[in-house]
Amino acid sequence: MLKMMTFFQGLPGQQSVPGTLNFPGSPQKLPSVSESESEASMSEASSEDLVPPPEAVVAPDQEQQEAAKKKKPTVLSNMFSIFTKGKKKRGQPSLVEPPLVPESKPGLDGPIPTVEELKAALEQGRLEAARPLLVLEQELAAAAAGGASQEELVRRQSKVEALYVLLRDQVLGVLRRPLEAAPERLRQALAVVAEQERADHQAVAAAAATTAEAPGAAALAATRPRRWLQLWRSVVAEVAAERLDTRPAAGAEGRSEAERIFQHLGCTVKEDLEAVVERLKPLFPAEFGVVATYAESYHQHFAAHLASMAQFELCERDTYLLLLWVQNLYPNDILNSPKLAEELQDVSLGSLLPPKQIRLLEATFLSSEAANVKELMARALEMESQHWAQDVAPLRLDGHCHSELAIDIIQIVSQGQAKAENITPDLGTQMKQVLLVELSVLLRSYQRAFDEFLERGKQLRNYRANIIANINNCLSFRTSMEQKWQILQDPRSYLLDPLSELKGHGFDALLQNLFMDLKPLFKRFTQTRWAAPEETLEEIVGTVEGRLPEFSELHDCFREELLEAVHLHLVKEYIIRLSKRCLVLKTAEQQQQLAKHILANASVIQDFCTKNGSTATWLNPALPTLAEIIRLQDPSAIKIEVATYATCYPDFR
């Protein structure tokens, strides 16, 4: 199978643009003060309640204080006028005095802005209002320590918290779609979160160092730590869920629903994390750990998807794909891709599925794949056997009879093993052992089916051609076994033995007619004087030579083996006829003549067989050694030489 980039090129079209985080949806409201509560709380009191006490900002003169007291409106009237932003009814004066703090834009370059100014700025998305808001929060803490009334503290805190709701939604809205925001605005949002984190740490440290509670602290609700960095991580998790939960686009026909889901999840994770590395990491402060945060969120949601799928009974294809993604494609082609490997090397993501569940899935895969391979091999052998029985002529390839059976079987086994190796090398090793057992069973069935054909198909026109094609099959089987499974300690015992038997039985069938024709010719050696019928051996050699073209469609290696069998038959029959005849050699001269005659015949047989491809050099000394024994005169020497001869050729009688 396969590497990841090649795999992605075959994926169905995705909705996302590579390298872009298309974060869907508007920012969601997080659990805190609601907008309705914010508006209500902001309209409970006058503008004098929405800013710090006069003594905390600017000390007006005595006349201004008296005028302010005389004109102080009721709380009810202020509920309708606090956020009118300068508007008033026609013909009526404003019920609220101008604020004591001079007007200014939200920021720290001038006096602290009023609450209504901060609200207006935040509604316009101006994140620079965060710093003045933090100052208001600090002033509130100072007022609590200064002994302000409980009612005043509650009112002021409600306004501050309402503004924080606006600020929080603005900041998280930017961080929800970071690639859609301008870089400067994204930096502003990140700076706000970082500032809030520092304020959290300071508040926690101050609380730990304080031994006595401030007089008015009991009136204030605890708002620190706000944990905005954690809120951002929650937003990232929501974005990961939205991206991965998107229904995959319709893919090519023939792909299962699970396959399309795997492809969608894999593409989305890879593209989004690469976009984070390339476009967000340069903008985010290091303490955010932006790459790790996104990787963990996407990983957790990816794992949740696969865990839910694994709960159901998957088909063979989906089980394979699930293991392929969990064990190979996700850790190797996504997390270890060139753009992500270095960034994620210190991030501990773990496996997408628990080890126990992976082992169960692997056992299911091994069992189902072995059964599938067994069925496919049996089907291929059955089709081949039908061709023999129907007298279908084999194919011819490069002048040789050819059968596709060996190619089909090896391909079936190799594909099963390759699928397992695509998951993990260890699983590939396990699958190899399982499939070799199935292959040995198949080869034994093949040998039995071939033997049955040899017995029943003798009258078929393509009988000999199909025998040759099946003998040639042994070469493909043997080559594949030696190349692919050479690590096996003893493959011959259960893999090559059936092939050797098949080849031997095929040779016997091919040579049967030839040996029948040679039998009466060899009988002549016992019916005439050995020294006379030289033409008998020439006729034997001529008969063999005339039948050799019948074996030309064998592969060269098998034609050589068949010639070795012919060579052995000629030598063996010659010795048998020589041994069966009762010879009385009265003189040494007669012995020398017979030995000379045997040497001449041995030379003819050896030259003929060697010229036609026999490599059975071990047969060359057989007849010359007998000739030397016949020359001997000493009985003791004869006994020694005969014993030595029997050792070299155990089947000698």
Side-chain angles (χ1 to χ4, degrees), residues 27 29-30 32-39 41-42 83 85 115-127 129-130 133 158-174 185 192 226 228:
K29 300 296 183 183
L30 299 175
S32 182
V33 183
S34 64
E35 289 188 1
S36 59
E37 292 172 339
S38 171
E39 294 292 346
S41 61
M42 284 193 174
F83 287 129
K85 297 184 179 62
V115 173
E116 57 265 28
E117 288 176 325
L118 289 177
K119 179 176 182 295
L122 290 173
E123 288 176 342
Q124 295 171 8
R126 297 171 62 184
L127 300 182
L133 178 55
S158 66
K159 306 310 175 283
V160 170
E161 293 307 310
L163 291 175
Y164 264 118
V165 170
L166 293 176
L167 177 62
R168 182 198 65 191
D169 290 347
Q170 288 289 342
V171 170
L172 295 183
V174 173
R185 181 165 178 79
V192 171
R226 298 186 184 277
W228 280 22

Side-chain angles (χ1 to χ4, degrees), residues 448-483:
R448 288 195 294 265
F450 182 70
D451 286 348
E452 185 177 346
F453 166 70
L454 293 180
E455 291 295 326
R456 296 184 178 182
K458 294 180 179 180
Q459 305 303 319
L460 298 176
R461 183 179 57 180
N462 294 300
Y463 176 71
R464 296 177 64 83
N466 277 315
I467 292 176
I468 292 174
N470 281 281
I471 293 175
N472 288 339
N473 265 342
C474 295
L475 178 62
S476 300
F477 278 120
R478 187 174 65 192
T479 302
S480 297
M481 291 174 190
E482 292 175 351
Q483 292 177 351

